[in-house]
């Protein structure tokens, strides 16, 4: 009888908390966290204390640069990567070459070079790479997938997808390491890979050509000067007479204080930079047109300074139309002292205050040609990201089992989602449309070709 699967975790910041709670709780019998790494030793201390309060022993610490040796020495089966995006390729490749499978947060990596390296390592080692596209698992998104897969809309002709990030969650990308494109690939890679993966999955299709436009039009020092905002503090954790709603005070949030503010002395990383400061190189408004292999197209828009948060998807087909509307937070409501609600409403929906003018909710409507519209029931599932996190964790630690809709995402799915973002960034730089098959992805380019062996194996 084999024992529990042995895990290593690299990166113990905010996103890692979901995995830590799962490994210490629901899946403790079949999954054991035996090693972890983080360049910030104070962050490891904080997480260790949190595990101790829950009665859990701390994993062994190791240096991420020694991942390969650690895998062999500690017989690690799987490595979970929740480090910043720019480190994904190095860590995934080291995990595979060390003899372990990899689980990596989206995006797969940030650029074409990272894609080539991961593809080469996956092909050479035969190890698996799972990209945690949790939005696939949300009941509302699954309901739309089921309708399309059943042929209710006929052949899909076009998709319109608008995603709105509000002035709390959207602003947060402009405070953190994400604000530099070399760190995150910009929102087209970091955030939008979720959305592009959803469309690829919904349609069961491959993106072929991308045209993008957009820019930094709200955040950043130049925009602040243009609107006459005047001098501002460099960070949000500062004592001021009047609290600006765009300033995030890390001291007011237990987890952010413990993971970041109290650990700044170790690495100098500031989690709360001013969103209207210097040095931001990512865009806050983006629009794309994407053509797909089977002939459909998508118009996509992302706005990172909306007064409310959510998304709208419209899918047109030869038999009719489906419309999915989701409100994750209807307004940014401040308390008496000017403090915001939870930063990410999708991750912590239980902490989001409702707003009667735009109530939190979701609605899926289907209408066939020459017929009346009818609403499709969406099961309510508690938990983060529309109930998706619970189902994702079950697949990761229990196994996917029978899943005709193929929720689990491989590295090939990660490549297809990244292809839209990387092509979009190239289009932004050149002003020209970009064919995904022309991206320098090396062996991973097979995932974008219709007759590819890799594509057939993953379909």
């Amino acid at each position: 009888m084999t024992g529990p699967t042995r895990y290593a975790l690299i990166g113990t910041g905010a996103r890692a908390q979901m995995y830590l709670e799962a490994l210490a709780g629901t899946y403790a019998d079949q999954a054991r966290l035996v090693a972890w790494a983080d360049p910030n030793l104070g962050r490891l201390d904080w997480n260790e204390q949190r595990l101790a309060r829950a009665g859990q022993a701390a994993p062994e610490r190791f240096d991420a640069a020694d991942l390969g040796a650690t895998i062999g020495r500690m017989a690690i089966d799987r490595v979970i990567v929740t480090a910043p995006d720019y480190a994904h390729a190095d860590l995934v490749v080291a995990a595979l070459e060390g003899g372990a499978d990899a689980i990596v947060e989206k995006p797969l990596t940030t650029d074409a070079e990272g894609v080539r390296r991961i593809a080469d390592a996956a092909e050479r080692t035969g190890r698996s790479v799972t990209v945690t596209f949790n939005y696939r698992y949300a009941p509302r998104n699954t309901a739309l997938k089921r309708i399309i897969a059943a042929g209710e809309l006929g052949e899909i002709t076009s998709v319109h997808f608008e995603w709105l990030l509000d002035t709390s969650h959207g602003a947060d990308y402009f405070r953190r390491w994400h604000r530099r494109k070399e760190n995150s690939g910009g929102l087209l890679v970091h955030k939008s890979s979720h959305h592009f993966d959803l469309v690829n999955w919904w349609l069961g299709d491959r993106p072929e050509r991308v045209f993008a436009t957009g820019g930094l039009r709200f955040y950043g020092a130049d925009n602040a000067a243009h609107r006459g905002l005047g001098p501002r503090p460099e960070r949000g954790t500062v004592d001021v007479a009047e609290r600006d709603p765009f300033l995030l005070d890390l001291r007011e949030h237990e987890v952010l204080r413990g993971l970041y503010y109290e650990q700044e002395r170790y690495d100098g990383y500031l989690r709360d930079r001013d969103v209207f400061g210097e040095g931001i190189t990512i865009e806050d408004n983006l629009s794309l047109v994407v053509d797909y292999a089977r002939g459909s197209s998508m118009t996509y828009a992302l706005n990172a300074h909306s007064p409310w948060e959510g998304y709208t998807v419209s899918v047109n087909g030869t038999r009719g139309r489906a419309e999915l509307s989701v409100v994750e937070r209807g307004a940014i409501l401040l308390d008496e002292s000017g403090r915001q609600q939870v930063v990410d409403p999708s991750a912590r929906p239980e902490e989001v205050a409702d707003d009667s003018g735009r109530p939190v909710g979701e609605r899926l409507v289907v209408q066939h040609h020459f017929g009346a519209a009818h609403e499709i029931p969406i099961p309510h599932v508690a938990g983060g990201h529309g109930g998706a996190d619970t189902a994702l964790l079950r697949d990761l630690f229990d196994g996917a089992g029978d899943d005709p809709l193929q929720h689990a995402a491989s590295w090939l799915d990660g490549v297809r989602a990244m292809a839209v973002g990387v092509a979009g960034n190239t289009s932004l730089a050149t002003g020209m449309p970009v064919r995904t098959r022309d991206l320098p992805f090396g062996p991973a380019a097979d995932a974008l070709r219709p007759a590819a062996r890799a594509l057939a194996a993953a379909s």
Side-chain angles (χ1 to χ4, degrees):
M1 181 176 178
T2 60
T5 303
R6 295 170 65 83
Y7 284 82
L9 173 70
I10 304 181
T12 60
R15 188 56 185 158
Q17 301 308 304
M18 177 180 76
Y19 300 98
L20 287 172
E21 291 168 8
L23 288 163
T26 305
Y27 301 99
D29 289 341
Q30 64 262 49
R32 181 171 300 166
L33 181 62
V34 299
W36 60 5
D38 195 301
N40 187 304
L41 299 182
R43 194 167 298 130
L44 286 172
D45 290 340
W46 187 88
N47 280 292
E48 191 169 301
Q49 292 165 9
R50 199 176 192 198
L51 285 179
R53 289 194 294 270
Q56 299 290 326
E60 180 177 315
R61 299 185 183 193
F62 71 97
D63 188 330
D66 299 327
L67 176 58
T70 303
I71 289 170
R73 178 172 58 82
M74 301 194 69
I76 290 167
D77 302 301
R78 306 177 85 189
V79 176
I80 301 173
V81 177
T82 58
D85 302 351
Y86 58 81
H88 285 188
D90 285 345
L91 296 172
V92 169
V93 169
L96 301 181
E97 291 180 341
D101 295 329
I103 297 169
V104 60
E105 272 292 308
K106 62 83 193 163
L108 177 66
T109 179
T110 58
D111 54 25
E113 180 185 2
V115 171
R116 289 195 302 272
R117 294 179 58 213
I118 291 172
D120 175 68
E123 291 288 334
R124 281 190 291 104
T125 65
R127 311 297 310 191
S128 74
V129 180
T130 301
V131 184
T132 54
F133 283 127
N134 53 351
Y135 263 106
R136 289 186 176 201
Y137 293 86
R140 59 203 181 209
N141 297 328
T142 294
L144 179 55
K145 169 69 173 178
R146 189 170 287 115
I147 286 167
I148 295 171
E152 285 198 39
L153 305 180
E155 294 181 14
I156 304 305
T157 58
S158 64
V159 177
H160 176 70
F161 196 156
E162 181 180 29
W163 197 287
L164 301 175
L165 293 164
D166 62 29
T167 49
S168 178
H169 188 197
D172 209 41
Y173 295 105
F174 298 83
R175 299 185 183 109
R176 299 179 280 166
W177 52 263
H178 309 71
R179 71 205 315 252
R180 301 289 301 180
K181 187 169 278 193
E182 63 265 29
N183 291 338
S184 65
L187 291 181
L188 280 184
V189 171
H190 175 81
K191 182 63 179 175
S192 299
S193 64
H194 259 322
H195 315 153
F196 303 146
D197 174 69
L198 276 177
V199 177
N200 295 345
W201 177 63
W202 280 328
L203 301 184
D205 207 349
R206 306 175 315 282
E208 281 204 330
R209 186 173 66 167
V210 179
F211 177 76
T213 184
L216 182 63
R217 297 169 179 167
F218 182 77
Y219 301 110
D222 289 345
N223 292 314
H226 176 72
R227 294 197 297 275
L229 296 188
R232 300 179 55 81
E234 294 183 357
R235 64 177 306 181
T237 308
V238 62
D239 296 320
V240 291
E242 186 174 348
R243 168 87 13 206
D244 182 325
F246 283 99
L247 297 179
L248 177 67
D249 192 333
L250 300 176
R251 297 170 296 187
E252 297 171 351
H253 303 262
E254 178 188 359
V255 172
L256 296 182
R257 182 181 67 246
L259 286 175
Y260 302 105
Y261 181 65
E262 293 175 354
Q263 317 312 333
E264 290 173 4
R265 64 185 186 275
Y266 290 95
D267 57 13
Y269 171 59
L270 301 183
R271 167 66 176 76
D272 61 343
R273 291 187 181 276
D274 179 32
V275 299
F276 297 109
E278 300 282 355
I280 297 173
T281 60
I282 65 173
E283 301 82 13
D284 54 28
N285 280 261
L286 291 155
S287 299
L288 276 72
V289 176
V290 182
D291 294 330
Y292 289 84
R294 294 177 186 162
S296 63
S297 60
M298 173 180 67
T299 54
Y300 172 83
L302 176 70
N303 179 284
H305 55 89
S306 170
W308 67 278
E309 179 141 338
Y311 60 100
T312 302
V313 181
S314 303
V315 182
N316 299 300
T318 54
R319 295 188 60 205
R321 175 180 170 96
E323 299 167 352
L324 175 61
S325 303
V326 178
V327 176
E328 295 182 332
R329 178 161 50 197
I332 300 296
L333 303 177
L334 308 176
D335 64 17
E336 298 80 8
S337 63
R339 287 191 291 264
Q340 300 181 15
Q341 300 172 342
V342 59
V343 169
D344 182 352
S346 182
R348 301 288 180 187
E350 71 280 359
E351 298 179 27
V352 174
D354 213 344
D355 175 61
S356 59
R358 194 185 299 275
V360 171
E362 53 194 15
R363 189 166 186 252
L364 176 59
V365 175
V366 172
Q367 185 169 8
H368 295 128
H369 294 151
F370 315 111
H374 61 283
E375 187 169 348
I376 305 298
I378 300 173
H380 175 72
V381 179
H385 297 98
D389 288 349
T390 300
L392 168 70
L393 292 169
R394 183 180 62 246
D395 266 15
L396 288 178
F397 297 120
D398 274 345
D402 182 33
D403 183 10
L405 296 182
Q406 297 179 319
H407 288 87
S410 71
W411 68 271
L412 295 172
D413 299 302
V415 169
R416 295 183 192 113
M418 270 201 66
V420 182
V422 172
N425 280 333
T426 304
S427 181
L428 286 172
T430 63
M432 300 295 292
V434 176
R435 292 190 178 277
T436 58
R437 67 185 181 214
D438 294 334
L439 296 172
F441 279 1
D446 282 352
L448 302 165
R449 296 188 182 116
R453 172 178 56 84
L455 179 62
S459 298

